[in-house]
Amino acid sequence: DAKTTQPNSMESNEEEPVHLPCNHSTISGTDYIHWYRQLPSQGPEYVIHGLTSNVNNRMASLAIAEDRKSSTLILHRATLRDAAVYYCILKEAQKLVFGQGTRLTINP
Amino acid sequence: SAVISQKPSRDICQRGTSLTIQCQVDSQVTMMFWYRQQPGQSLTLIATANQGSEATYESGFVIDKFPISRPNLTFSTLTVSNMSPEDSSIYLCSVVGQGRGPYEQYFGPGTRLTVT
């Protein structure tokens, strides 16, 4: 399985934007970039995914580098509820293989 | 979307015993997955369960220890057999949403297992 590298932890302030980086230098042409997050005491939930172009949805934006070797999840205006572990995953076929993720702390 | 329920939500078991975890989905799904999350760790995929065929296990996981049933398109069970304290984890069921392309995966709330 292709691998991703994320910082172990990040911290931000409420109502400020958050940029969560992910490196995936061994990505193949068919790998989709998925982001999931796991709130405390809950199962993971889908955030966003993309292949080549930048993507936006109601939760976040995903910026994908032109060479696809890195991507950034952008939370435009963080709230306390966004405190979670964020996982960047390269999905091939149907399996999600989780790395260690980034633990995001939001300060009030 | 898919709504997933798991039973039990938590349990405390003695070593050497077995526990069967149930996963119920509110819609028919082709693929179901079972994950384990050890304390303070990320999720590890145990196996993929497709209806009508044997489960496919990931490296490090074997059928004798984690037998899985998938009797229909909305239900699956995972049994943790001959438990030891190292099996203390959260076990999560997951399904892939229907549709084309790299669609979302949904997770149940998990079963928190403590083995004493």
Side-chain angles (χ1 to χ4, degrees), chain A residues 65-84:
Chain A
E66 197 168 331
D67 63 6
R68 299 210 328 124
K69 294 185 176 182
S70 66
S71 61
T72 302
L73 178 70
I74 303 167
L75 306 179
H76 294 285
R77 202 159 170 260
T79 68
L80 295 178
R81 195 193 171 277
D82 291 320

Side-chain angles (χ1 to χ4, degrees), chain A residues 32 36 38 91 95-96 99, chain B residues 35 37 42 58 102-103 105:
Chain A
Y32 281 81
Y36 281 73
Q38 187 172 22
K91 187 174 183 182
K95 289 196 299 187
L96 282 179
Chain B
Y35 287 84
Q37 188 168 29
S42 181
E58 298 298 308
Y103 27 80
Q105 197 160 319

Side-chain angles (χ1 to χ4, degrees), chain B residues 49 63 77 88 110:
Chain B
I63 188 171
T77 66
S88 297

Side-chain angles (χ1 to χ4, degrees), chain A residues 35-50:
Chain A
W35 285 81
Y36 281 73
R37 71 179 185 181
Q38 187 172 22
L39 302 172
S41 302
Q42 295 188 28
E45 64 176 358
Y46 167 84
V47 177
I48 200 167
H49 77 272

Side-chain angles (χ1 to χ4, degrees), chain B residues 36-44 85-91:
Chain B
R36 178 176 76 181
Q37 188 168 29
Q38 294 175 303
Q41 301 297 313
S42 181
L43 285 79
T44 301
E86 292 69 36
D87 294 319
S88 297
S89 296
I90 299 173
Y91 292 85

Side-chain angles (χ1 to χ4, degrees), chain A residues 18-62:
Chain A
V18 180
H19 291 232
L20 296 164
C22 180
N23 288 321
H24 29 78
S25 59
T26 59
I27 191 171
S28 72
T30 56
D31 287 336
Y32 281 81
I33 303 161
H34 284 242
W35 285 81
Y36 281 73
R37 71 179 185 181
Q38 187 172 22
L39 302 172
S41 302
Q42 295 188 28
E45 64 176 358
Y46 167 84
V47 177
I48 200 167
H49 77 272
L51 182 62
T52 55
S53 303
N54 294 345
V55 185
N56 300 294
N57 66 20
R58 65 176 179 80
M59 289 180 69
S61 296
L62 177 59

Side-chain angles (χ1 to χ4, degrees), chain B residues 64-113:
Chain B
D64 289 346
K65 176 68 176 177
F66 298 101
I68 289 172
S69 77
R70 182 79 201 273
N72 58 51
L73 292 176
T74 63
F75 187 78
S76 177
T77 66
L78 169 76
T79 299
V80 185
S81 304
N82 187 24
M83 289 184 284
S84 67
E86 292 69 36
D87 294 319
S88 297
S89 296
I90 299 173
Y91 292 85
L92 298 106
C93 168
S94 178
V95 303
V96 177
Q98 299 303 291
R100 299 172 59 186
Y103 27 80
E104 300 177 32
Q105 197 160 319
Y106 301 92
F107 288 81
T111 295
R112 183 179 295 272
L113 170 63

